[in-house]
Amino acid sequence: MDEGGRSPDLADVELLGLLSYLQLTAFSRLAADAEMAPGYPQRAAAARMAVGHYQCFEALTERLAALGADPPSSMRPFMAPIDAFHSRTRPNSWLQSLVKVYVGDGIAQDFYREISLYAAPGTRDLVHSVLRDTELADFAVAEVKSAIARDSAVAGPLALWGRRLVGEAFTQAQHIAAERDALASLVVSETDLGELGRMFTRITSAHEDRMARLGLSA
Amino acid sequence: MDEGGRSPDLADVELLGLLSYLQLTAFSRLAADAEMAPGYPQRAAAARMAVGHYQCFEALTERLAALGADPPSSMRPFMAPIDAFHSRTRPNSWLQSLVKVYVGDGIAQDFYREISLYAAPGTRDLVHSVLRDTELADFAVAEVKSAIARDSAVAGPLALWGRRLVGEAFTQAQHIAAERDALASLVVSETDLGELGRMFTRITSAHEDRMARLGLSA
């Protein structure tokens, strides 16, 4: 692993494995959360969005197979941290679920867009197309804002929830970076530490923008 | 409702509304149950199967819209009994989930295939294509049989679970039949009571065959 840690192919496989498992769990979680939706349009939208995650999962695992990698083996190293993230951030309400999808997908998208810049072109293009902005973004913003307009007391707990989500996401990302040499080297070998710091600043700043769009303090 | 109870259009809308909600809930439940899968192939298969339920849901709601019906209004009368069925039959294990999918889908498919014979041709053809046998059937049979081969002690509790599923399904079906005149009249107005009895005999017999294929006593 130390020797192979800087192989671009291995880094691509790790990036794709991480993203695949993230999409598969997002699918299951969002499909289940759809049952908390307060009405039909929201429930159908969440179900449709969950299916979108499944389709991303399929495209990513197909790419893994095309690279000669075994999809389950490629995902396995990321299962424990991603499962831990989900079990520590189980939404108790529809609004918590929406904030989780919006904030979680947003951070994940920023992060993977940044690191995929250093991946092989085929992987980079796929990651960019998979992480396209989805219809749910506007939908989540509208739902959360209208809930706050109806009852401003929901804003404080949701803002806390947003901070907890970021904290858990960064905690698990650190576990992954510490253990997956190839993936970490994708960023660090190609950039200096200053660039790494600027990357985290950009991601944090984008997160604050998203919280503000929801009407929540970051 | 009493006056319109025998309108074939209303009966079609009720049949499609019932099936739509059944597919939407099957999607959410199976997508969530996928997380109980013991390994990757099973988990990916369950996720793919859940997406199949979503696609059925979409086809059915499109047909409702084409008939001039409002999909959420058409589903609403069936939400309480179907939600009750699911909350009373929440699987505690991957094997329970598989038996539920296999036995539940099987009974539902037999039942809807039977009553759709009396629906308008367009609806009937759609229902038949939506209720096609799926790949999960073979997969569930293989999984359950190999679990029983590894440990024969799982068979008894799973057989009990199968009986509970049938009992809950018939209970909720009776609620629906009692309250939805149009749907009930689809069968009763076109047939005599003897035919209705024979229909239940056929469904029960097919259920026993399915349990036997799983290696379980019905």
Side-chain angles (χ1 to χ4, degrees):
Chain A
M1 198 59 194
D2 286 333
E3 284 300 297
R6 295 187 179 257
S7 146
D9 282 352
L10 180 57
D12 274 28
V13 167
E14 292 202 341
L15 177 62
L16 291 166
L18 171 55
L19 264 173
S20 296
Y21 195 65
L22 210 70
Q23 294 291 331
L24 181 60
T25 56
F27 160 72
S28 282
R29 293 289 89 225
L30 189 53
D33 289 353
E35 297 194 322
M36 292 195 286
Y40 176 78
Q42 296 95 332
R43 185 164 176 175
R48 194 164 52 241
M49 178 67 194
V51 171
H53 282 298
Y54 176 81
Q55 287 160 344
C56 292
F57 160 76
E58 255 191 351
L60 291 160
T61 49
E62 276 165 18
R63 171 81 184 160
L64 277 168
L67 290 174
D70 176 51
S73 310
S74 311
M75 283 183 263
R76 196 159 296 123
F78 307 107
M79 290 185 176
I82 293 174
D83 287 345
F85 172 75
H86 283 297
S87 74
R88 286 156 192 260
T89 58
R90 229 170 252 282
N92 287 318
S93 70
W94 171 242
L95 289 176
Q96 283 194 347
S97 172
L98 281 183
V99 171
K100 179 174 173 180
V101 167
Y102 182 64
V103 164
D105 279 8
I107 294 173
Q109 290 187 7
D110 288 343
F111 183 65
Y112 299 122
R113 221 176 254 124
E114 296 260 1
I115 61 175
S116 71
L117 293 177
Y118 309 110
T123 299
R124 185 175 62 222
D125 295 345
L126 176 67
V127 169
H128 282 231
S129 78
V130 158
L131 297 179
R132 73 196 178 285
D133 290 330
T134 57
E135 61 179 316
L136 194 77
D138 291 339
F139 166 72
V141 172
E143 282 279 303
V144 173
K145 287 181 90 159
S146 81
I148 294 172
R150 281 194 305 274
D151 177 9
S152 62
V154 304
L158 283 180
L160 276 177
W161 172 247
R163 286 198 279 280
R164 190 167 133 209
L165 290 169
V166 180
E168 291 293 346
F170 278 39
T171 300
Q172 300 306 330
Q174 280 167 0
H175 284 297
I176 290 171
E179 285 175 28
R180 307 312 301 173
D181 293 346
L183 194 59
S185 72
L186 195 59
V187 181
V188 177
S189 68
E190 301 278 346
T191 63
D192 57 23
L193 283 176
E195 176 51 28
L196 198 64
R198 284 189 290 278
M199 184 177 107
F200 274 100
T201 305
R202 285 194 297 273
I203 292 177
T204 308
S205 159
H207 165 68
E208 287 167 1
D209 291 348
R210 276 188 294 273
M211 291 295 278
R213 274 201 291 281
L214 291 175
L216 300 173
S217 58
Chain B
M1 200 56 193
D2 286 334
E3 284 298 298
R6 296 192 175 254
S7 146
D9 282 353
L10 180 56
D12 274 28
V13 166
E14 291 201 342
L15 176 61
L16 291 165
L18 171 56
L19 263 173
S20 296
Y21 194 66
L22 210 71
Q23 294 291 332
L24 181 60
T25 56
F27 158 73
S28 282
R29 293 291 88 224
L30 189 52
D33 288 353
E35 298 194 322
M36 291 194 287
Y40 176 78
Q42 297 93 334
R43 185 164 176 176
R48 194 165 52 241
M49 179 65 194
V51 171
H53 282 298
Y54 177 80
Q55 287 159 344
C56 293
F57 160 75
E58 255 192 350
L60 292 160
T61 50
E62 275 165 19
R63 171 81 184 160
L64 276 168
L67 291 175
D70 176 51
S73 311
S74 310
M75 282 183 262
R76 194 158 298 122
F78 307 106
M79 290 184 176
I82 293 174
D83 287 345
F85 172 74
H86 283 296
S87 73
R88 284 156 191 262
T89 58
R90 227 170 255 282
N92 286 319
S93 70
W94 172 243
L95 289 176
Q96 282 195 347
S97 172
L98 281 183
V99 172
K100 179 174 171 179
V101 167
Y102 182 63
V103 164
D105 280 9
I107 294 172
Q109 289 185 9
D110 288 342
F111 184 65
Y112 298 124
R113 221 177 252 126
E114 296 261 1
I115 61 174
S116 72
L117 294 177
Y118 309 110
T123 299
R124 185 175 63 222
D125 295 345
L126 176 68
V127 169
H128 282 231
S129 78
V130 158
L131 297 180
R132 75 197 176 284
D133 290 332
T134 57
E135 61 179 315
L136 195 77
D138 291 338
F139 165 73
V141 171
E143 282 280 302
V144 173
K145 285 181 92 159
S146 81
I148 294 171
R150 280 194 305 275
D151 177 10
S152 62
V154 304
L158 283 180
L160 275 176
W161 171 247
R163 286 198 278 281
R164 190 166 135 209
L165 290 169
V166 180
E168 289 293 346
F170 278 39
T171 300
Q172 300 305 330
Q174 280 167 0
H175 283 297
I176 289 170
E179 285 175 28
R180 309 311 300 174
D181 292 346
L183 194 59
S185 72
L186 194 60
V187 181
V188 177
S189 69
E190 301 278 345
T191 62
D192 57 24
L193 284 177
E195 177 51 28
L196 197 64
R198 284 189 291 277
M199 182 176 106
F200 275 100
T201 305
R202 284 194 297 272
I203 291 176
T204 307
S205 159
H207 165 69
E208 288 167 1
D209 291 347
R210 275 187 296 271
M211 292 294 279
R213 272 199 294 280
L214 291 175
L216 301 173
S217 58

